[in-house]
């Protein structure tokens, strides 16, 4: 599959791209900043964005901790208007699947003793512009999915994302941690799994006292 990964300069984008290459995908990278390894694109409503998505089978969009700026307005603009432009061009080009990499930190404000599932409403703190942008990005993606333009697997990722496998996660001490290998497996499975047009999936590595349930991801993506 030919897959476009956004925010290639970010750690999440780099991990996603590395894992996809491991699974044999043809990976294309983009970012808004200059870089030798990716195509620079501002994701405006223009031919450059159209050209970026042309011929792609799927897009992996980094919807949290991808684009970064000290200007809150610029961040909100990226995760709303520019993500909208990306998805509009993608749907016009015949791209039928998007993997949006969001975050389980949208659920962090719930008490830790509660059993939080994908049916619970996200609760981003308005004071945290990064979480607010993740929430807004999900909203944009959801509207495209509900209009039937594209299938979106919204992966809410545990934190921190730990290099390596599950042994590294256990050593990290984080109750919501996610290994890079588990993330790669989930992305690879989500590219071809039978999913609803909009599918929220909570994803963290299995731990004895893990904070979030991942039953739906295990069932739909056949994770072990």
């Amino acid at each position: 599959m030919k897959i476009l990964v956004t925010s290639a300069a970010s750690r999440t984008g780099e991990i996603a791209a590395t894992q996809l290459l491991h699974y044999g995908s043809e990976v294309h990278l983009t970012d808004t900043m200059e870089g030798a390894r990716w195509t620079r694109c501002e994701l405006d409503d223009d031919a450059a964005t159209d050209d970026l998505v042309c011929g792609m089978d799927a897009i992996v969009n980094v919807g949290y901790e991808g684009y970064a700026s000290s200007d809150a307005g610029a961040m909100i603009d990226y995760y709303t208007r520019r993500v909208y432009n990306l998805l509009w061009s993608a749907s016009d080009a015949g791209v039928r699947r998007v993997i949006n990499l969001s975050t389980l930190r949208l659920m962090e404000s719930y008490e830790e003793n509660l059993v939080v599932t994908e049916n619970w409403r996200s609760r981003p703190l308005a004071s945290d512009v990064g979480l607010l942008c993740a929430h807004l990005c999900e909203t944009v993606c959801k509207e495209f999915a509900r209009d039937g333009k594209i299938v979106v697997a919204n992966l809410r990722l545990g934190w921190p994302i730990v290099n390596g496998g599950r042994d590294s996660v256990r050593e990290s001490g984080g109750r919501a941690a996610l290994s890079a290998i588990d993330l790669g497996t989930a992305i690879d499975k989500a590219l071809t799994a039978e999913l609803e047009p909009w599918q929220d999936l909570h994803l963290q590595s299995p731990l004895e006292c893990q904070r979030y349930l991942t039953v739906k991801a295990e069932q739909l993506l056949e994770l072990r």
Side-chain angles (χ1 to χ4, degrees):
M1 297 181 71
K2 292 180 67 175
I3 302 170
L4 177 69
V5 178
T6 68
S7 298
S10 69
R11 181 169 180 264
T12 302
E14 182 178 3
I15 290 172
T18 300
Q19 291 297 317
L20 285 166
L21 287 169
H22 171 77
Y23 281 100
S25 296
E26 181 181 331
V27 179
H28 297 254
L29 305 174
T30 188
D31 203 288
T32 59
M33 65 175 64
E34 293 285 355
R37 296 184 296 108
W38 55 76
T39 301
R40 182 184 180 186
C41 184
E42 296 290 340
L43 302 184
D44 286 322
D45 181 15
D46 58 14
T49 304
D50 293 340
D51 291 343
L52 184 70
V53 300
C54 184
M56 297 297 160
D57 296 305
I59 295 173
V60 175
N61 179 61
V62 180
Y64 176 67
E65 292 188 337
Y67 177 85
S69 173
S70 58
D71 183 342
M75 286 189 63
I76 291 171
D77 176 70
Y78 177 88
Y79 286 105
T80 54
R81 181 184 66 86
R82 291 203 254 181
V83 168
Y84 180 94
N85 292 336
L86 173 69
L87 298 183
W88 185 272
S89 291
S91 62
D92 274 357
V95 179
R96 289 293 173 256
R97 184 151 304 200
V98 169
I99 313 298
N100 184 56
L101 303 182
S102 188
T103 177
L104 274 169
R105 289 195 59 207
L106 289 170
M107 306 299 192
E108 189 177 12
S109 61
Y110 286 109
E111 292 82 354
E112 290 198 29
N113 64 312
L114 297 177
V115 182
V116 178
T117 71
E118 289 86 348
N119 294 327
W120 290 51
R121 182 174 297 177
S122 63
R123 295 171 58 177
L125 296 174
S127 59
D128 188 325
V129 68
L131 290 181
L132 178 61
C133 287
H135 172 75
L136 292 171
C137 184
E138 285 191 6
T139 302
V140 172
C141 292
K142 186 182 295 184
E143 289 307 308
F144 272 84
R146 287 181 171 174
D147 285 345
K149 294 182 179 298
I150 209 156
V151 173
V152 180
N154 185 51
L155 303 186
R156 289 185 180 141
L157 309 184
W159 77 94
I161 300 174
V162 181
N163 292 329
R166 293 177 179 178
D167 288 342
S168 299
V169 168
R170 296 186 189 99
E171 293 169 3
S172 74
R175 290 186 56 217
L178 173 66
S179 81
I181 291 175
D182 281 341
L183 172 56
T185 301
I187 294 173
D188 180 66
K189 296 278 190 177
L191 288 168
T192 56
E194 291 291 330
L195 302 174
E196 297 293 328
W198 170 260
Q199 188 75 68
D200 283 319
L201 295 170
H202 288 181
L203 189 66
Q204 70 158 104
S205 295
L207 294 165
E208 187 174 341
C209 298
Q210 70 183 60
R211 180 165 180 178
Y212 297 101
L213 294 179
T214 55
V215 176
K216 186 173 287 189
E218 290 163 10
Q219 291 174 340
L220 294 179
L221 303 184
E222 298 180 351
L223 302 177
R224 297 289 185 269

